[in-house]
Amino acid sequence: MTHQQEKLSAFMDGELEDNDIINAVKQDDELRAKWQRYHVIRGVMRKEASVAPNLDITASVAAALESEPAIVAPKQSRWRSLPVLGNVVPFAKQSGQLAVAASVAVAVIFGVQYSNQEAPTEPFMTAPTVGPIGGLAPVSLEQTRSLPRNDKNDLLERKRKINALLADHEQQVKLKQAKESEEESSEQGSPQ
């Protein structure tokens, strides 16, 4: 590190109050670049978003491209050396792509059909009724008519009764356990 760079670093750290370094930075391009880099580093360390480094990497990229060797011809495929396989491999590749596309299309069609089915109107599936032996079936003009169900209120009332019985049972079990624990504690407390 040169003497000027040391003075610049000390000035940036607040250890030096010399105006000569400011004049030196104005006159020297290398020192001015250091000044900018020091400010960027300080801004990054302080997490200041207003400091943005000016990076120009075009010259280094152009130099790297110049030093790269040029590729004159692409490498010949080893499949092209065999006359039959040279024609089969591209065909198999295209066929594989077509098969994948067809599989995706079939999956989409089945998915759409499955998701567009109507939900059953009844909460459960009913078993099909068996007609009389001999192949006779009831005659009806409208076979898809659903029967009205008036027992929903009865079903709800039954569920309420069952829930009340279960709650009562749980309460009696708890009372019995509490009574048994009281009896055990009183037996342990009294001498025998």
Side-chain angles (χ1 to χ4, degrees):
M1 196 187 263
T2 64
H3 180 67
Q4 290 286 1
Q5 290 175 353
E6 287 178 13
K7 286 176 77 175
L8 179 64
S9 178
F11 183 75
M12 291 285 299
D13 292 338
E15 298 172 359
L16 181 68
E17 294 184 13
D18 188 13
N19 291 338
D20 293 336
I21 192 67
I22 295 173
N23 293 332
V25 167
K26 288 179 183 177
Q27 295 172 357
D28 188 8
D29 290 335
E30 184 179 333
L31 207 54
R32 187 177 311 125
K34 278 274 194 201
W35 172 268
Q36 288 177 344
R37 283 194 300 269
Y38 283 167
H39 274 285
V40 169
I41 292 169
R42 183 181 70 179
V44 169
M45 290 174 66
R46 291 181 179 176
K47 296 180 182 177
E48 295 173 348
S50 63
V51 178
N54 295 330
L55 298 176
D56 186 20
I57 59 169
T58 55
S60 60
V61 170
L65 287 175
E66 286 294 324
S67 65
E68 282 286 318
I71 298 175
V72 178
K75 182 179 175 183
Q76 185 178 6
S77 173
R78 59 185 173 138
W79 297 109
R80 297 283 182 203
S81 60
L82 300 172
V84 174
L85 287 178
N87 295 331
V88 172
V89 170
F91 175 72
K93 189 176 184 181
Q94 290 173 351
S95 299
Q97 291 172 347
L98 185 63
V100 169
S103 301
V104 169
V106 167
V108 167
I109 289 171
F110 282 130
V112 167
Q113 286 179 352
Y114 179 75
S115 66
N116 286 340
Q117 287 182 351
E118 292 182 19
T121 56
E122 295 186 15
F124 53 88
M125 298 290 293
T126 57
T129 56
V130 179
I133 300 174
L136 298 176
V139 178
S140 173
L141 183 61
E142 185 179 299
Q143 294 183 0
T144 59
R145 182 181 65 171
S146 63
L147 297 174
R149 299 194 58 138
N150 295 331
D151 60 341
K152 287 185 181 180
N153 291 334
D154 294 338
L155 182 64
L156 287 174
E157 186 63 33
R158 287 181 190 164
K159 285 184 179 181
R160 285 186 191 123
K161 286 181 181 179
I162 291 172
N163 287 337
L165 287 172
L166 287 174
D168 185 45
H169 174 73
E170 288 177 8
Q171 187 177 16
Q172 289 184 14
V173 167
K174 288 179 184 178
L175 287 173
K176 184 179 178 182
Q177 289 174 349
K179 186 177 180 182
E180 288 174 357
S181 65
E182 283 180 11
E183 288 175 1
E184 287 178 8
S185 64
S186 66
E187 287 176 4
Q188 291 176 356
S190 63
Q192 292 183 358

